[in-house]
């Protein structure tokens, strides 16, 4: 049986206020085309369909069109909710759309109710373990400890019990949305830590042939049978080096797994550039990034004037500006803040802050502004004290 494993679409998300909807639409076109071209038996979507619980209408319409296209192509789709989704909203009309071959699993009660597909070698049971908020579902699973490992393990116990009652040789696949030990996170994932512990050991998924994971945005292999597809698009500059893809998984007659990556379209690459502004604007080595989304980290000792306006002349898609000024040798940043302030008045403290942030103190005009501001505050305090 051939499966196309994807996750973390985050429909409706933007990148530093730039809408990603057109790029998401292009990806979903690619997904439908890939499902047809590779003759897949099912598409697996391992959570975070939307970026937030109440997504924008355009994102809902894109989702709706995609489901219609998959149904029209006769490709069964199994989908779970993630921690960004509203499980109840995503699950509305699940029973009705299941008739079209779109199978949603959004709550704890459906974890052990598989979608059963068949190929030449027999049945394949596909189970969905959506994102499970421990505090909300621990009673449903009868677990005492509040933690991700406890509730995911309880869900897997139910799945293994159901699988044990099925005909011998039934192969199994689990979709799950969780942070599994050994996975590498990026900046764009929402924290799911509970009591300081968020990770679930991969051994939780023992007993099934393949675990299709969602939540982490980098494509990665935890074990040969436990994999993250990652997000189809980069949603933070921490993902600039990611190769975005889906897993094309073949499940053999004996449950053996082979998997290959299908690359996703890249609407515009991401680049992280670091250096002094004059170097960034003149260095020919940066020519390949002139059409990229850019995060620029400026190391100038003194913050340059109008840095964004200057950068966008060469890099028109600069989205993020970071300042990390070079410090002169011997500049002791480790001296405590309290010690640095000792013996200084408020105006001097403000001037020190300006120097600390940009590497040089205020000029005469800026000192005049600061002095006027402190004079105004001091006068207001005196009037209030009466």
């Amino acid at each position: 049986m051939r499966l196309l494993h994807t996750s973390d679409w985050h429909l409706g998300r933007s990148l530093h206020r730039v809408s990603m909807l057109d790029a998401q639409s292009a990806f979903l076109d690619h997904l439908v085309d890939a499902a047809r071209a590779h003759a897949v038996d099912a598409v697996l979507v391992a959570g975070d369909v939307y970026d937030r619980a109440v997504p924008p209408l355009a994102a809902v319409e894109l989702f709706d069109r995609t489901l219609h296209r998959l149904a029209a192509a006769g490709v069964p789709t199994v989908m779970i909710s993630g921690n960004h989704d509203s499980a109840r909203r995503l699950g509305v009309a699940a029973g009705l759309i299941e008739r079209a071959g779109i199978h949603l699993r959004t709550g704890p009660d459906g974890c052990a109710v598989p979608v059963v597909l068949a190929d030449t070698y027999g049945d394949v049971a596909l189970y969905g373990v959506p994102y499970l908020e421990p505090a909300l579902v621990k009673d449903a699973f009868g677990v005492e400890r509040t933690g991700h490992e406890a509730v995911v393990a309880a869900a897997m116990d139910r799945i293994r019990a159901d699988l044990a009652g099925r005909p011998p040789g039934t192969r199994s696949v689990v979709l799950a949305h969780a942070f599994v030990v050994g996975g590498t996170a990026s900046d764009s994932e929402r924290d799911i830590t509970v009591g300081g512990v968020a990770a679930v050991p991969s051994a939780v998924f023992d007993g099934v042939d393949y675990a299709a994971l969602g939540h982490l945005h980098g494509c990665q292999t935890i074990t040969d049978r436990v994999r993250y597809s990652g997000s189809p698009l980069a949603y933070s500059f921490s993902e600039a080096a990611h190769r975005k893809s889906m897993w094309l998984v073949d499940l053999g007659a004996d449950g053996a797994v082979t998997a290959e990556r299908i690359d996703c379209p890249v609407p515009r690459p991401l680049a992280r550039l670091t250096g002094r502004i004059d170097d960034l604007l003149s260095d020919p080595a940066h020519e390949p990034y002139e059409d990229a989304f850019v995060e620029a980290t400026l190391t100038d000792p003194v913050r340059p004037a109008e840095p964004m306006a200057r950068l966008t002349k060469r890099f028109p898609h600069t989205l993020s500006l970071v300042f990390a000024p070079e410090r002169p040798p011997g500049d002791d940043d480790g001296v405590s803040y309290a010690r640095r302030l000792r013996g200084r008045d408020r105006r001097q403290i403000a001037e020190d802050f300006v120097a600390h942030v940009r590497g040089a103190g205020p000029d005469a005009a800026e000192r005049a502004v600061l002095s006027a501001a402190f004079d105004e505050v001091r006068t207001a305090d005196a009037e209030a004290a009466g």
Side-chain angles (χ1 to χ4, degrees):
M1 181 164 289
R2 175 163 285 183
L3 309 167
L4 188 59
H5 168 197
T6 177
S7 72
D8 295 273
W9 296 353
H10 288 278
L11 301 182
R13 187 165 188 147
S14 60
L15 177 66
H16 290 268
R17 300 183 185 179
V18 174
S19 172
M20 300 295 285
L21 201 65
D22 288 345
Q24 291 169 340
S25 180
F27 158 69
L28 291 171
D29 288 343
H30 170 70
L31 181 145
V32 174
D33 290 344
R36 289 183 175 134
H38 294 279
V40 304
D41 297 295
V43 170
L44 313 180
V45 187
D48 281 352
V49 174
Y50 293 118
D51 190 56
R52 54 183 185 265
V54 184
L57 180 59
V60 177
E61 290 173 341
L62 177 57
F63 176 63
D64 181 62
R65 289 197 303 271
T66 302
L67 294 191
H68 274 82
R69 293 176 66 191
L70 288 169
V75 181
T77 301
V78 184
M79 183 177 297
I80 60 174
S81 52
N83 59 301
H84 280 250
D85 299 310
S86 165
R88 294 184 66 180
R89 286 188 175 90
L90 187 62
V92 167
L96 184 62
I97 66 174
E98 189 155 9
R99 299 178 186 179
I102 308 296
H103 308 274
L104 287 164
R105 296 292 184 269
T106 61
D109 293 342
C111 289
V113 181
V115 176
V116 180
L117 303 178
D119 63 9
T120 305
Y121 307 108
D123 289 346
V124 177
L126 298 100
Y127 299 89
V129 180
Y131 171 70
L132 300 171
E133 183 60 50
L136 299 180
V137 304
K138 68 183 185 68
D139 291 339
F141 285 122
V143 297
E144 295 181 359
R145 292 182 294 116
T146 301
H148 288 283
E149 181 178 354
V151 295
V152 174
M156 287 302 303
D157 286 343
R158 291 187 179 187
I159 287 169
R160 281 185 283 263
D162 178 83
L163 193 57
R166 296 191 173 273
T170 299
R171 290 157 291 161
S172 57
V173 173
V174 168
L175 289 77
H177 196 87
F179 191 158
V180 174
V181 173
T184 301
S186 58
D187 292 346
S188 56
E189 298 132 4
R190 184 178 296 164
D191 183 28
I192 58 172
T193 301
V194 175
V197 179
V200 174
S202 61
V204 163
F205 301 103
D206 286 354
V208 298
D209 294 306
Y210 184 71
L213 301 181
H215 178 59
L216 299 183
H217 287 184
C219 179
Q220 45 202 298
T221 300
I222 306 301
T223 73
D224 287 343
R225 296 181 181 274
V226 180
R227 300 172 187 260
Y228 282 99
S229 66
S231 61
L233 297 165
Y235 290 122
S236 74
F237 280 98
S238 66
E239 301 170 45
H242 285 192
R243 173 189 165 194
K244 297 299 185 181
S245 59
M246 303 177 285
W247 284 113
L248 185 65
V249 178
D250 283 310
L251 198 60
D254 58 354
V257 171
T258 58
E260 65 174 289
R261 294 173 71 175
I262 298 179
D263 290 332
C264 296
V266 179
R268 191 182 302 281
L270 272 63
R272 301 180 109 170
L273 306 180
T274 300
R276 296 192 177 197
I277 191 167
D278 289 340
D279 294 335
L280 296 185
L281 294 175
S282 62
D283 191 341
H286 298 318
E287 287 181 9
Y289 312 117
E290 290 177 354
D291 197 42
F293 285 131
V294 168
E295 178 187 74
T297 298
L298 300 183
T299 61
D300 300 70
V302 177
R303 184 176 300 210
E306 300 183 331
M308 183 62 85
R310 294 168 64 187
L311 283 168
T312 52
K313 289 181 180 179
R314 183 179 188 186
F315 308 104
H317 305 288
T318 301
L319 301 184
S320 176
L321 198 54
V322 180
F323 294 96
E326 299 167 352
R327 298 293 179 188
D331 184 9
D332 186 4
D333 247 4
V335 177
S336 75
Y337 185 64
R339 286 178 57 192
R340 291 202 303 271
L341 298 188
R342 193 172 298 153
R344 289 173 168 81
D345 61 27
R346 289 188 294 179
R347 180 184 57 79
Q348 291 171 324
I349 291 170
E351 292 181 6
D352 287 348
F353 175 76
V354 172
H356 176 72
V357 168
R358 72 180 186 189
D363 58 26
E366 291 167 334
R367 285 194 185 94
V369 170
L370 287 170
S371 293
F374 281 117
D375 287 345
E376 185 176 338
V377 170
R378 187 177 61 254
T379 301
D381 287 347
E383 290 174 349

